[in-house]
């Protein structure tokens, strides 16, 4: 039997049973004084939410607080028959963005895109076309609540959809279609690269 020594991470919840170790994982941005094992993780009610098939990132935040996480997202740029794209004004930072969110455990990324679009706008996507995969320093972001992420965003174009616009008011303040040439100035920071590409659409499947 191979004994596996796993790195243990400090957790944010005050109700957890902590274990100490003399061999903290070097390079991890924590002080190495209080740790949680996988046994604690799966047996403690404060942690099991992170193992559910939904709210994966939210569950991780209960364990690690605001430290940077690698986050995979799926997003949708809806384009209407006029060539306008749908943007939503976010409730957390008052900026405009396209629909999207984090991929949950074992979730197909296209299903993530469809789910987020419906939850945030009320629209149902029939056909999704891959627009691009975006990552890097431009997608490193700190949310207003302090959560820090490095995003990988899988972005789709949707022209085949149905439904009536119905904003999820917990996350979205407003919904509106904009022409590529008149996008709002306050685009949400993780989305800045995509409107720039849309604005220079040569080689991309966005109509101008």
């Amino acid at each position: 039997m191979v004994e596996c020594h796993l790195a243990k991470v400090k957790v944010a919840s005050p109700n957890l049973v902590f274990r100490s170790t003399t061999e903290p994982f070097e390079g991890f941005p924590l002080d190495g004084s209080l740790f949680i094992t996988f046994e604690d993780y799966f047996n403690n009610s404060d942690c099991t939410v992170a193992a559910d098939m939904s709210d994966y990132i939210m569950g991780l935040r209960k364990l690690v607080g605001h430290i940077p996480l690698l986050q995979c997202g799926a997003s949708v740029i809806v384009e209407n028959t006029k060539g306008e794209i749908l943007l939503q004004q976010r409730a957390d930072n008052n900026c405009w963005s396209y629909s999207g969110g984090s991929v949950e455990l074992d979730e197909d990324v296209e299903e993530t895109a469809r789910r987020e679009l419906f939850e945030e706008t009320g629209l149902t996507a029939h056909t999704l076309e891959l627009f691009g995969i975006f990552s890097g320093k431009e997608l490193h972001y700190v949310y207003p609540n302090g959560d820090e992420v490095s995003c990988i965003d899988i972005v789709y174009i949707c022209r085949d959809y149905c439904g009536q616009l119905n904003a999820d008011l917990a996350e979205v303040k407003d919904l509106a279609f904009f022409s590529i040439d008149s996008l709002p100035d306050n685009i949400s920071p993780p989305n800045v690269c995509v409107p720039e590409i849309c604005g220079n659409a040569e080689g991309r499947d966005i109509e101008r």
Side-chain angles (χ1 to χ4, degrees):
M1 177 182 294
V2 177
E3 186 175 0
C4 182
H5 296 281
L6 298 171
K8 305 168 185 178
V9 298
K10 187 176 180 179
V11 297
S13 173
N15 299 321
L16 293 174
V17 177
F18 294 109
R19 295 187 182 186
S20 297
T21 178
T22 58
E23 299 178 356
F25 179 61
E26 294 182 1
F28 199 79
L30 300 172
D31 61 17
S33 59
L34 296 174
F35 300 86
I36 181 172
T37 67
F38 278 119
E39 180 183 1
D40 295 329
Y41 175 90
F42 285 109
N43 289 337
N44 191 288
S45 60
D46 285 353
C47 297
T48 51
V49 63
D52 290 343
M53 302 308 286
S54 62
D55 297 327
Y56 174 61
I57 295 294
M58 187 180 300
L60 284 180
R61 287 297 178 195
K62 289 179 176 289
L63 299 174
V64 301
H66 297 303
I67 69 168
L69 292 179
L70 184 64
Q71 178 174 285
C72 182
S75 304
V76 183
I77 300 175
V78 172
E79 184 180 357
N80 65 17
T81 55
K82 300 178 182 179
E84 299 169 326
I85 64 172
L86 178 64
L87 296 178
Q88 58 192 41
Q89 188 175 29
R90 296 176 59 97
D92 59 354
N93 64 7
N94 291 314
C95 294
W96 291 86
S97 70
Y98 47 76
S99 298
S102 298
V103 179
E104 301 291 358
L105 289 177
D106 294 341
E107 187 176 33
D108 181 274
V109 291
E110 284 198 15
E111 289 306 310
T112 302
R114 296 174 193 277
R115 173 177 56 78
E116 291 288 343
L117 179 66
F118 180 75
E119 290 175 356
E120 295 175 350
T121 72
L123 299 182
T124 298
H126 295 310
T127 303
L128 294 174
E129 307 166 49
L130 181 64
F131 177 67
I133 300 173
F134 302 90
S135 60
K137 294 181 179 179
E138 294 84 359
L139 274 72
H140 194 113
Y141 180 62
V142 180
Y143 288 95
N145 68 355
D147 289 350
E148 188 170 356
V149 295
S150 178
C151 296
I152 301 170
D153 198 11
I154 303 166
V155 183
Y156 296 91
I157 297 291
C158 180
R159 300 186 180 94
D160 181 12
Y161 60 90
C162 67
Q164 299 293 321
L165 291 179
N166 182 23
D168 175 6
L169 297 180
E171 299 185 36
V172 179
K173 298 176 68 174
D174 196 9
L175 292 166
F177 280 94
F178 296 88
S179 70
I180 296 298
D181 296 319
S182 60
L183 297 176
D185 293 329
N186 58 330
I187 296 295
S188 191
N191 293 172
V192 166
C193 62
V194 172
E196 288 178 352
I197 293 171
C198 292
N200 183 18
E202 183 178 353
R204 294 280 182 172
D205 196 19
I206 292 264
E207 297 180 1
R208 292 195 67 185

